[in-house]
Amino acid sequence: MGGIEFRKGHGTQNDFVVLPDAAGRLDLTPTRVAALCDRRQGLGADGVLRVTRPAALGVESAGEWFMDYRNADGSLAEMCGNGVRVFARYLVDAGLVTATEFVVGSRAGDRRVLVHPDRSVTVHMGESRIVGSSVTAVGDNEFSGVAVDVGNPHLVSFMDTEVAGLDLREQPVFDRDFFPEGVNLEFVNSVGEGMLRMRVYERGVGETRSCGTGTVAVVAAALHLRGTDTGRCTVEVPGGVVEVAVETGVATLTGPAEMVARGELDEAWWAAH
Protein backbone atom coordinates (compact mmCIF):
# COMPACT_ATOMS: atom_id res chain seq x y z
CA MET A 1 0.00 0.00 0.00
CA GLY A 2 1.34 3.43 -0.91
CA GLY A 3 1.57 6.53 1.24
CA ILE A 4 -1.28 8.86 2.11
CA GLU A 5 -1.77 11.55 -0.50
CA PHE A 6 -1.72 15.19 0.58
CA ARG A 7 -1.62 18.71 -0.83
CA LYS A 8 -0.42 21.86 0.93
CA GLY A 9 -1.96 25.26 0.28
CA HIS A 10 -2.67 28.64 1.85
CA GLY A 11 -5.07 31.56 1.66
CA THR A 12 -3.32 34.82 2.61
CA GLN A 13 -0.75 32.65 4.44
CA ASN A 14 -3.36 30.83 6.53
CA ASP A 15 -2.03 27.37 5.60
CA PHE A 16 -3.62 23.95 5.37
CA VAL A 17 -2.88 20.30 4.72
CA VAL A 18 -5.44 19.00 2.21
CA LEU A 19 -6.26 15.28 2.50
CA PRO A 20 -8.21 13.76 -0.42
CA ASP A 21 -10.44 11.10 1.18
CA ALA A 22 -13.66 10.73 -0.80
CA ALA A 23 -14.83 7.64 1.10
CA GLY A 24 -13.98 9.08 4.54
CA ARG A 25 -11.68 6.19 5.46
CA LEU A 26 -8.86 8.13 7.10
CA ASP A 27 -8.91 8.05 10.90
CA LEU A 28 -8.35 11.72 11.77
CA THR A 29 -7.84 11.50 15.52
CA PRO A 30 -7.14 14.80 17.33
CA THR A 31 -3.63 13.55 18.19
CA ARG A 32 -2.87 12.68 14.56
CA VAL A 33 -4.20 16.00 13.24
CA ALA A 34 -2.20 17.94 15.85
CA ALA A 35 0.98 16.04 14.92
CA LEU A 36 0.37 16.65 11.22
CA CYS A 37 -0.07 20.39 11.82
CA ASP A 38 2.99 20.64 14.06
CA ARG A 39 5.74 22.53 12.24
CA ARG A 40 8.51 20.35 13.66
CA GLN A 41 7.17 16.80 13.86
CA GLY A 42 4.70 17.06 10.98
CA LEU A 43 4.10 19.01 7.78
CA GLY A 44 3.04 22.16 9.61
CA ALA A 45 -0.28 23.93 9.09
CA ASP A 46 -3.00 26.00 10.72
CA GLY A 47 -5.48 23.23 10.01
CA VAL A 48 -6.45 20.15 8.00
CA LEU A 49 -8.99 20.09 5.17
CA ARG A 50 -10.30 16.61 4.43
CA VAL A 51 -11.90 16.39 0.98
CA THR A 52 -14.73 13.91 1.32
CA ARG A 53 -18.29 13.16 0.21
CA PRO A 54 -21.10 14.33 2.51
CA ALA A 55 -22.50 10.80 2.66
CA ALA A 56 -19.16 9.48 3.93
CA LEU A 57 -19.67 11.50 7.12
CA GLY A 58 -23.43 10.96 7.28
CA VAL A 59 -24.23 14.64 6.68
CA GLU A 60 -26.64 16.31 4.29
CA SER A 61 -25.43 18.86 1.76
CA ALA A 62 -26.41 20.12 -1.67
CA GLY A 63 -22.70 20.05 -2.49
CA GLU A 64 -20.92 17.11 -4.08
CA TRP A 65 -17.96 17.61 -1.73
CA PHE A 66 -17.72 18.31 2.00
CA MET A 67 -14.96 20.28 3.73
CA ASP A 68 -14.18 18.35 6.92
CA TYR A 69 -12.11 21.01 8.69
CA ARG A 70 -9.94 20.43 11.75
CA ASN A 71 -8.06 23.08 13.75
CA ALA A 72 -4.35 22.65 14.39
CA ASP A 73 -5.06 21.22 17.87
CA GLY A 74 -7.21 18.49 16.31
CA SER A 75 -10.56 19.97 17.29
CA LEU A 76 -13.46 20.23 14.85
CA ALA A 77 -14.37 23.64 13.43
CA GLU A 78 -17.55 24.82 11.76
CA MET A 79 -16.12 27.00 9.00
CA CYS A 80 -12.89 28.50 7.69
CA GLY A 81 -13.10 31.22 5.05
CA ASN A 82 -9.49 30.87 3.92
CA GLY A 83 -9.73 27.10 4.06
CA VAL A 84 -12.80 26.91 1.85
CA ARG A 85 -11.01 28.98 -0.81
CA VAL A 86 -8.07 26.55 -0.81
CA PHE A 87 -10.54 23.64 -0.77
CA ALA A 88 -12.40 25.06 -3.80
CA ARG A 89 -9.20 25.65 -5.75
CA TYR A 90 -8.06 22.09 -5.03
CA LEU A 91 -11.35 20.69 -6.37
CA VAL A 92 -10.96 22.65 -9.62
CA ASP A 93 -7.24 21.90 -10.06
CA ALA A 94 -7.78 18.19 -9.36
CA GLY A 95 -10.66 17.98 -11.84
CA LEU A 96 -13.10 16.88 -9.13
CA VAL A 97 -15.53 19.56 -10.28
CA THR A 98 -15.97 20.82 -13.83
CA ALA A 99 -17.79 24.08 -13.08
CA THR A 100 -16.14 27.19 -11.65
CA GLU A 101 -19.18 27.98 -9.48
CA PHE A 102 -20.40 25.25 -7.16
CA VAL A 103 -21.43 24.40 -3.58
CA VAL A 104 -19.10 23.16 -0.83
CA GLY A 105 -20.59 21.52 2.25
CA SER A 106 -19.34 22.45 5.73
CA ARG A 107 -20.38 22.11 9.36
CA ALA A 108 -21.63 25.71 9.16
CA GLY A 109 -23.83 24.79 6.18
CA ASP A 110 -23.44 24.89 2.43
CA ARG A 111 -21.22 27.59 0.94
CA ARG A 112 -21.40 28.65 -2.71
CA VAL A 113 -17.99 29.41 -4.22
CA LEU A 114 -16.78 30.97 -7.44
CA VAL A 115 -13.26 30.19 -8.68
CA HIS A 116 -12.01 33.04 -10.86
CA PRO A 117 -9.63 32.63 -13.85
CA ASP A 118 -6.68 33.81 -11.72
CA ARG A 119 -7.63 31.12 -9.16
CA SER A 120 -8.72 33.64 -6.56
CA VAL A 121 -12.00 32.55 -5.01
CA THR A 122 -15.19 34.26 -3.88
CA VAL A 123 -17.08 32.50 -1.09
CA HIS A 124 -20.67 33.18 -0.07
CA MET A 125 -20.16 33.05 3.68
CA GLY A 126 -23.79 33.06 4.76
CA GLU A 127 -25.20 35.45 7.32
CA SER A 128 -23.03 37.32 9.82
CA ARG A 129 -24.97 38.04 13.01
CA ILE A 130 -24.17 40.51 15.78
CA VAL A 131 -24.87 38.58 18.97
CA GLY A 132 -23.82 40.97 21.73
CA SER A 133 -20.69 42.40 23.28
CA SER A 134 -17.95 41.15 25.56
CA VAL A 135 -14.38 41.90 26.61
CA THR A 136 -10.95 40.37 26.14
CA ALA A 137 -7.61 41.10 27.75
CA VAL A 138 -4.09 40.95 26.32
CA GLY A 139 -1.69 41.15 29.25
CA ASP A 140 -2.80 44.11 31.37
CA ASN A 141 -4.81 45.69 28.55
CA GLU A 142 -8.57 45.09 28.38
CA PHE A 143 -10.53 45.62 25.16
CA SER A 144 -14.26 45.73 24.62
CA GLY A 145 -15.54 43.94 21.55
CA VAL A 146 -18.49 43.15 19.33
CA ALA A 147 -19.51 39.48 19.31
CA VAL A 148 -20.24 38.18 15.80
CA ASP A 149 -21.45 34.77 14.64
CA VAL A 150 -20.18 33.85 11.15
CA GLY A 151 -21.01 30.17 11.54
CA ASN A 152 -18.30 30.20 14.21
CA PRO A 153 -17.83 32.64 17.12
CA HIS A 154 -15.80 35.87 16.97
CA LEU A 155 -15.09 38.83 19.22
CA VAL A 156 -13.97 41.95 17.33
CA SER A 157 -12.11 44.67 19.23
CA PHE A 158 -11.31 48.01 17.58
CA MET A 159 -8.16 49.69 18.89
CA ASP A 160 -6.81 53.23 18.90
CA THR A 161 -3.24 51.95 19.16
CA GLU A 162 -1.49 49.93 16.45
CA VAL A 163 -2.45 46.27 16.35
CA ALA A 164 1.18 45.56 15.45
CA GLY A 165 2.13 46.36 19.04
CA LEU A 166 0.05 43.57 20.60
CA ASP A 167 1.79 40.54 22.09
CA LEU A 168 -0.35 37.62 20.93
CA ARG A 169 2.05 34.83 21.81
CA GLU A 170 -0.26 33.71 24.62
CA GLN A 171 -4.02 33.08 24.66
CA PRO A 172 -5.83 36.35 25.46
CA VAL A 173 -8.35 36.20 28.29
CA PHE A 174 -12.03 36.05 27.30
CA ASP A 175 -15.38 35.36 28.97
CA ARG A 176 -15.80 31.57 28.86
CA ASP A 177 -19.41 31.86 30.03
CA PHE A 178 -20.20 34.00 26.99
CA PHE A 179 -18.10 31.79 24.67
CA PRO A 180 -18.35 28.26 26.13
CA GLU A 181 -16.95 26.70 22.93
CA GLY A 182 -14.09 29.19 22.68
CA VAL A 183 -13.81 32.18 20.36
CA ASN A 184 -11.73 33.70 17.59
CA LEU A 185 -10.36 37.07 18.74
CA GLU A 186 -9.82 39.87 16.22
CA PHE A 187 -7.97 43.12 16.96
CA VAL A 188 -8.57 45.86 14.41
CA ASN A 189 -7.40 49.30 13.26
CA SER A 190 -9.34 51.50 10.85
CA VAL A 191 -6.66 52.72 8.44
CA GLY A 192 -8.65 54.65 5.87
CA GLU A 193 -11.96 54.83 4.06
CA GLY A 194 -13.10 51.27 3.52
CA MET A 195 -9.83 49.79 4.81
CA LEU A 196 -9.28 47.77 7.99
CA ARG A 197 -6.13 46.17 9.42
CA MET A 198 -6.54 43.02 11.50
CA ARG A 199 -4.64 40.56 13.65
CA VAL A 200 -6.29 37.41 14.96
CA TYR A 201 -5.85 34.82 17.67
CA GLU A 202 -7.69 31.78 16.36
CA ARG A 203 -9.51 29.32 18.54
CA GLY A 204 -7.60 26.05 18.67
CA VAL A 205 -4.62 27.43 16.72
CA GLY A 206 -3.08 30.61 18.16
CA GLU A 207 -2.16 33.70 16.17
CA THR A 208 -2.41 33.06 12.44
CA ARG A 209 -1.45 35.13 9.42
CA SER A 210 -5.10 35.38 8.39
CA CYS A 211 -8.63 34.22 9.25
CA GLY A 212 -11.31 34.32 6.56
CA THR A 213 -14.34 34.21 8.84
CA GLY A 214 -12.53 36.75 11.02
CA THR A 215 -12.31 39.24 8.14
CA VAL A 216 -16.07 38.89 7.61
CA ALA A 217 -16.66 39.37 11.33
CA VAL A 218 -14.59 42.58 11.50
CA VAL A 219 -16.41 44.11 8.53
CA ALA A 220 -19.79 43.17 10.01
CA ALA A 221 -18.73 44.70 13.34
CA ALA A 222 -17.40 47.87 11.68
CA LEU A 223 -20.66 48.36 9.79
CA HIS A 224 -22.67 47.70 12.95
CA LEU A 225 -20.73 50.38 14.83
CA ARG A 226 -21.43 52.80 11.98
CA GLY A 227 -25.16 52.07 12.29
CA THR A 228 -25.57 50.14 9.06
CA ASP A 229 -25.89 46.47 8.13
CA THR A 230 -24.48 46.54 4.60
CA GLY A 231 -21.27 47.65 2.94
CA ARG A 232 -17.85 46.49 1.80
CA CYS A 233 -14.27 46.82 3.01
CA THR A 234 -10.76 45.78 2.15
CA VAL A 235 -9.16 43.93 5.05
CA GLU A 236 -5.39 43.81 5.44
CA VAL A 237 -4.04 40.86 7.42
CA PRO A 238 -0.39 39.91 8.03
CA GLY A 239 -0.64 37.39 5.17
CA GLY A 240 -2.19 39.63 2.53
CA VAL A 241 -5.40 41.39 1.55
CA VAL A 242 -8.99 40.24 1.04
CA GLU A 243 -12.23 41.92 0.03
CA VAL A 244 -15.41 41.51 2.08
CA ALA A 245 -18.94 42.58 1.15
CA VAL A 246 -21.78 42.34 3.68
CA GLU A 247 -25.30 42.42 2.31
CA THR A 248 -28.66 41.61 3.88
CA GLY A 249 -28.51 37.96 4.89
CA VAL A 250 -25.20 37.14 3.22
CA ALA A 251 -21.54 38.13 3.14
CA THR A 252 -18.97 37.37 0.47
CA LEU A 253 -15.23 36.95 0.90
CA THR A 254 -12.84 37.23 -2.05
CA GLY A 255 -9.15 36.45 -1.86
CA PRO A 256 -6.29 34.34 -3.16
CA ALA A 257 -5.91 30.57 -2.85
CA GLU A 258 -2.42 29.21 -3.46
CA MET A 259 -1.41 25.57 -3.87
CA VAL A 260 2.16 24.99 -2.68
CA ALA A 261 3.05 21.30 -2.69
CA ARG A 262 1.90 17.73 -3.14
CA GLY A 263 3.24 14.46 -1.82
CA GLU A 264 2.65 11.39 0.29
CA LEU A 265 2.67 11.00 4.04
CA ASP A 266 4.75 8.08 5.27
CA GLU A 267 2.46 5.28 6.46
CA ALA A 268 4.75 4.39 9.37
CA TRP A 269 4.61 8.00 10.59
CA TRP A 270 0.81 7.99 10.25
CA ALA A 271 0.46 4.75 12.16
CA ALA A 272 2.76 5.98 14.93
CA HIS A 273 0.50 8.95 15.62
Side-chain angles (χ1 to χ4, degrees):
M1 184 176 178
I4 296 162
E5 180 186 0
F6 78 88
R7 298 288 192 277
K8 182 75 186 291
H10 74 88
T12 49
Q13 299 180 22
N14 196 191
D15 62 335
F16 309 94
V17 174
V18 181
L19 296 177
D21 184 28
R25 294 192 177 117
L26 293 177
D27 186 11
L28 293 185
T29 65
T31 299
R32 184 169 283 154
V33 170
L36 186 58
C37 291
D38 188 278
R39 299 187 187 276
R40 292 178 177 84
Q41 68 171 320
L43 290 176
D46 293 324
V48 168
L49 308 172
R50 173 163 44 179
V51 183
T52 192
R53 302 285 192 183
L57 299 183
V59 297
E60 293 186 2
S61 171
E64 188 177 353
W65 294 97
F66 186 88
M67 184 182 75
D68 179 17
Y69 178 60
R70 315 295 177 103
N71 291 316
D73 66 355
S75 60
L76 297 176
E78 301 89 346
M79 170 46 53
C80 176
N82 291 321
V84 74
R85 295 202 314 275
V86 172
F87 189 93
R89 170 156 182 187
Y90 167 76
L91 292 177
V92 170
D93 287 359
L96 297 177
V97 297
T98 55
T100 56
E101 187 169 6
F102 50 93
V103 171
V104 170
S106 79
R107 289 186 179 85
D110 289 345
R111 296 291 184 261
R112 181 164 294 281
V113 298
L114 172 63
V115 181
H116 300 284
D118 66 355
R119 291 301 194 258
S120 65
V121 181
T122 295
V123 183
H124 287 73
M125 297 289 290
E127 184 180 11
S128 52
R129 297 187 300 112
I130 307 299
V131 295
S133 60
S134 189
V135 295
T136 183
V138 180
D140 295 331
N141 299 307
E142 187 173 280
F143 303 99
S144 60
V146 178
V148 188
D149 186 333
V150 191
N152 57 0
H154 296 263
L155 183 66
V156 180
S157 298
F158 285 85
M159 300 173 51
D160 295 326
T161 56
E162 290 290 332
V163 294
L166 283 176
D167 183 352
L168 294 180
R169 289 175 293 181
E170 302 294 334
Q171 168 73 61
V173 175
F174 63 90
D175 185 344
R176 293 186 180 274
D177 290 330
F178 196 99
F179 298 107
E181 302 299 323
V183 64
N184 300 282
L185 299 164
E186 285 82 29
F187 302 92
V188 189
N189 294 143
S190 296
V191 292
E193 184 65 30
M195 172 71 80
L196 302 171
R197 180 176 297 136
M198 177 188 102
R199 287 176 67 191
V200 58
Y201 194 98
E202 279 201 66
R203 177 182 60 167
V205 184
E207 185 179 11
T208 58
R209 303 284 292 172
S210 180
C211 173
T213 54
T215 62
V216 174
V218 302
V219 173
L223 295 172
H224 172 74
L225 293 173
R226 294 175 197 165
T228 182
D229 296 325
T230 62
R232 61 181 58 240
C233 287
T234 300
V235 183
E236 176 189 315
V237 293
V241 174
V242 298
E243 303 290 333
V244 175
V246 176
E247 306 297 338
T248 302
V250 67
T252 59
L253 166 65
T254 302
E258 302 288 342
M259 301 310 297
V260 176
R262 68 179 65 204
E264 290 186 346
L265 295 165
D266 184 83
E267 281 216 351
W269 181 93
W270 184 269
H273 292 85

